[in-house]
Amino acid sequence: MQTETKTDITDILSQLGIKDANPAYSTGLTWGGENNAETRTIHSPTNGKRIATVNMASEADYEQVITTAQQAFLEWRTWPSPKRGEVVRQIGQKLREYKEPLGKLVSYEMGKILQEGLGEVQEMIDICDFAVGLSRQLHGYTMHSERPTHRMYEQYHPLGIVGVISAFNFPVAVWSWNAMLAAICGDVVVWKPSEKTPLTAVACQQIIQDVLQENQVPEGVFNIIIGDAEIGSKMAHDERVPLVSATGSTRMGKKVGEAVGRRLGRSLLELGGNNAIILTPNADLEMAIRAVVFGAVGTCGQRCTSTRRLIIHDSIYDEVKERLLKVYPNLPIGDPLKDGILVGPLIDKDATAAFLDALERVQQEGGNLLTGGEVLEGEEYATGTYVTPAIVEAEHSYHTVQEETFAPILYLIKYSGDVNNAIDIQNGVRQGLSSSIFSSNLLETEAFLSHWGSDCGIANVNIGTSGAEIGGAFGGEKDTGGGRESGSDAWRFYMRRQTNTINFGRELPLAQGIKFDF
Ligand code: NAD
């Protein structure tokens, strides 16, 4: 790897221990080794400057990583889970130590504002804490047997290699959600980060090195492999990878899900969202507007849980519109590492093009662009990735509204009558990730949470669609892929479940009273 020399980023990289040379990790990794010739240069979406040039993994690298990981699994699975938890605890401590530089690197490489970059690292710390506790709680049920002197219980065993494919917008947190749970479960992890944000992945690997070495963690428990979709696809087809946890677009998830399904492996899919907030006549608009703005423009509309649709009762529609139109033109847009900035850039020019294209199409369908939709120009915005967040009045049925455009576009949709009409609109898209309602009316909020209410994996009351805590299981339904990761009992998916029946008597009674005497 060669790094950019004359920007502040060199400081950040050196604080993270990333040096100018291709680092040789002792614990299993290969992130593009010496076997290949292909390199990729990463530019920051914040200022267009080159951050680094990374080696892309070849097939030989891939093989090396997978075989090292397979070997490591044989030893790692024999470690008692609380001992594995102790390693994760120390990783959490390291992340605390490096929160600031890693948060900055996330911000610089991905483009989210520093507060959100730091928040992302905090999520990693939180999941480490969660996983440490969990390492003493990997429990199954015990059941009463129908047969005398028999005992039944179930237990959970490690699976093997967990392949993690992650998206650019949460370049490090998604890895930790998967990797920390997998690690305490006794699995080993091969992480293929987004090719758009490989450096933060290298940084994570670097940060945890000392902990792995000091604890004599076998080489190959935490691996990264820098590559593009092809490497991800190899993992999806590879029978040596029993679980593939893939985060990204629905298009990608369908391919990965199909490939893993064809070999009857397990896939955990965390895909696109098209999230809505419902504002009923009983909404506290002061609170709601803050949640809507954070949800729609935070991370420049590039969260899977970003608010894309606002479903507003017709009695309050004009007021909501007016309030939003007061806030939007004054949003501070610019370098995400600067104090006071709330909206950073899109990830690249392709994302800008997709933003403009969606706005054009929705207007052709009859949408009314109320504000935003421009690409900012001038020295500070020379990358062509800074845009003004847009608000469009639209009909729910428009094709463009039915899609996820990964950019800050908020569609205002009117509903009339009771809350069930709003819920129908909210559910009337293919995606099913996050949803929320603002109302202080119990009948409305309970209808939203009932079995005929929101069909999403996440349904919130009086908070927005984005900004989940790690304690809950995270994921969504329909085109969002059905996976659950992070908190609650998501860990079970990273283990294989075994039912055990033990006979401690001297007879061999058969279940269901079957007689089979000879
Ligand atoms: P993307 O689908 O372009 O890429 C995501 C990852 O998948 C990358 O690492 C990429 O290399 C890999 N990939 C792409 N095609 C593949 C294939 N055929 N086989 C294997 N791997 C493949 O997504 P992106 O642009 O990086 O991220 C944005 C998308 O991710 C949005 O749709 C967003 O909603 C979604 N996302 C979802 C969640 C969630 O938890 N539900 C979280 C973050 C992002």
Side-chain angles (χ1 to χ4, degrees):
M1 178 184 67
Q2 303 163 323
T3 50
E4 169 75 18
T5 45
K6 287 198 183 77
T7 60
D8 292 348
I9 194 64
T10 353
D11 271 355
I12 300 174
L13 294 182
S14 79
Q15 281 175 54
L16 290 164
I18 300 176
K19 305 200 181 68
D20 273 359
N22 215 346
Y25 296 114
S26 60
T27 22
L29 106 117
T30 238
W31 57 279
E34 289 158 13
N35 301 324
N36 66 82
E38 202 195 325
T39 59
R40 183 159 303 183
T41 298
I42 309 300
H43 296 96
S44 170
T46 71
N47 56 16
K49 285 189 179 161
R50 182 176 142 268
I51 311 177
T53 301
V54 293
N55 292 342
M56 302 293 276
S58 64
E59 277 201 22
D61 295 323
Y62 176 81
E63 278 306 312
Q64 189 190 328
V65 171
I66 295 289
T67 43
T68 313
Q70 274 185 309
Q71 269 314 109
F73 175 60
L74 300 181
E75 186 186 333
W76 185 238
R77 67 180 175 179
T78 68
W79 285 38
S81 179
K83 198 173 160 206
R84 299 190 292 249
E86 170 56 19
V87 173
V88 169
R89 189 189 67 76
Q90 292 176 31
I91 289 176
Q93 287 304 103
K94 278 283 172 207
L95 288 169
R96 284 181 168 87
E97 220 176 286
Y98 287 98
K99 180 173 172 180
E100 181 91 17
L102 184 57
K104 277 188 185 159
L105 184 59
V106 167
S107 180
Y108 193 66
E109 190 180 37
M110 185 274 155
K112 61 179 68 177
I113 60 170
L114 180 58
Q115 273 306 309
E116 293 185 74
L118 295 171
E120 179 159 352
V121 183
Q122 186 58 47
E123 266 190 61
M124 302 173 81
I125 296 167
D126 293 345
I127 195 76
C128 286
D129 290 354
F130 181 85
V132 174
L134 203 55
S135 70
R136 290 180 186 269
Q137 298 180 67
L138 302 177
H139 58 264
Y141 292 112
T142 61
M143 285 77 65
H144 283 252
S145 170
E146 66 188 44
R147 289 169 278 185
T149 60
H150 279 57
R151 185 165 71 82
M152 282 174 75
Y153 75 105
E154 62 185 16
Q155 55 176 342
Y156 286 82
H157 292 308
L159 270 182
I161 299 178
V162 175
V164 177
I165 298 172
S166 59
F168 78 85
N169 66 327
F170 274 91
V172 288
V174 167
W175 164 70
S176 65
W177 292 354
N178 285 281
M180 298 312 142
L181 291 197
I184 58 109
C185 289
D187 298 324
V188 298
V189 177
V190 176
W191 176 22
K192 192 210 87 60
S194 165
E195 57 275 36
K196 294 177 185 169
T197 51
L199 209 60
T200 39
V202 173
C204 290
Q205 190 78 356
Q206 188 71 21
I207 287 169
I208 67 176
Q209 281 313 298
D210 288 350
V211 171
L212 302 184
Q213 276 163 16
E214 281 159 19
N215 289 277
Q216 297 176 339
V217 171
E219 183 182 11
V221 171
F222 293 97
N223 309 276
I224 56 171
I225 182 149
I226 308 289
D228 50 23
E230 250 174 72
I231 289 284
S233 175
K234 266 181 112 36
M235 211 140 71
H237 285 88
D238 193 337
E239 286 184 347
R240 295 169 295 178
V241 184
L243 168 60
V244 177
S245 172
T247 300
S249 57
T250 297
R251 184 173 31 82
M252 175 280 290
K254 284 187 173 167
K255 287 189 188 146
V256 169
E258 196 184 323
V260 178
R262 211 176 294 134
R263 62 177 171 88
L264 301 183
R266 264 187 216 184
S267 56
L268 192 168
L269 301 175
E270 297 282 352
L271 312 174
N274 190 354
N275 318 295
I277 295 181
I278 296 173
L279 300 183
T280 81
N282 300 300
D284 176 334
L285 288 188
E286 211 46 52
M287 248 180 9
I289 297 295
R290 289 182 55 195
V292 170
V293 175
F294 175 68
V297 312
T299 328
C300 199
Q302 298 170 107
R303 284 191 183 212
C304 50
T305 52
S306 288
T307 308
R308 312 214 175 274
R309 299 176 296 142
L310 192 57
I311 303 166
I312 313 161
H313 193 265
D314 53 12
S315 63
I316 55 168
Y317 185 89
D318 289 341
E319 186 186 351
V320 170
K321 181 166 127 182
E322 197 181 309
R323 282 188 185 221
L324 287 171
L325 287 177
K326 274 196 190 131
V327 177
Y328 262 58
N330 300 315
L331 288 167
I333 304 170
D335 180 348
L337 280 151
K338 274 196 190 147
D339 279 351
I341 292 293
L342 293 181
V343 185
L346 288 167
I347 184 71
D348 54 24
K349 280 190 179 162
D350 287 349
T352 307
F355 169 75
L356 295 174
D357 177 59
L359 287 173
E360 196 182 315
R361 283 186 294 118
V362 78
Q363 288 179 88
Q364 278 164 10
E365 289 188 275
N368 179 22
L369 176 64
L370 294 173
T371 185
E374 288 139 11
V375 182
L376 293 174
E377 288 173 1
E379 205 182 331
E380 196 189 340
Y381 308 117
T383 50
T385 51
Y386 289 92
V387 300
T388 52
I391 300 180
V392 179
E393 290 183 299
E395 295 288 331
H396 158 65
S397 56
Y398 294 168
H399 289 298
T400 323
V401 175
Q402 296 276 319
E403 296 164 3
E404 177 197 49
T405 301
F406 219 51
I409 304 175
L410 180 67
Y411 298 115
L412 305 190
I413 301 164
K414 217 180 257 187
Y415 83 93
S416 49
D418 77 10
V419 73
N420 292 307
N421 297 331
I423 293 171
D424 284 347
I425 294 173
Q426 124 81 33
N427 291 345
V429 291
R430 277 301 311 152
Q431 307 83 354
L433 181 52
S434 186
S435 59
S436 93
I437 187 169
F438 275 79
S439 171
S440 49
N441 179 318
L442 183 80
L443 304 187
E444 289 177 336
T445 57
E446 288 297 315
F448 176 74
L449 297 175
S450 71
H451 61 85
W452 70 86
S454 167
D455 65 0
C456 291
I458 296 166
N460 295 332
V461 173
N462 293 332
I463 61 167
T465 56
S466 75
E469 298 179 20
I470 62 96
F474 183 86
E477 303 299 331
K478 304 192 289 187
D479 272 3
T480 305
R484 292 295 185 280
E485 60 190 17
S486 190
S488 186
D489 66 349
W491 64 270
R492 291 180 198 273
F493 208 64
Y494 296 76
M495 303 198 82
R496 65 186 168 85
R497 182 178 192 150
Q498 186 176 68
T499 302
N500 307 108
T501 309
I502 296 153
N503 178 1
F504 57 97
R506 297 198 180 280
E507 304 290 327
L508 190 71
L510 298 177
Q512 294 88 44
I514 291 173
K515 296 282 175 227
F516 197 80
D517 295 331
F518 53 89

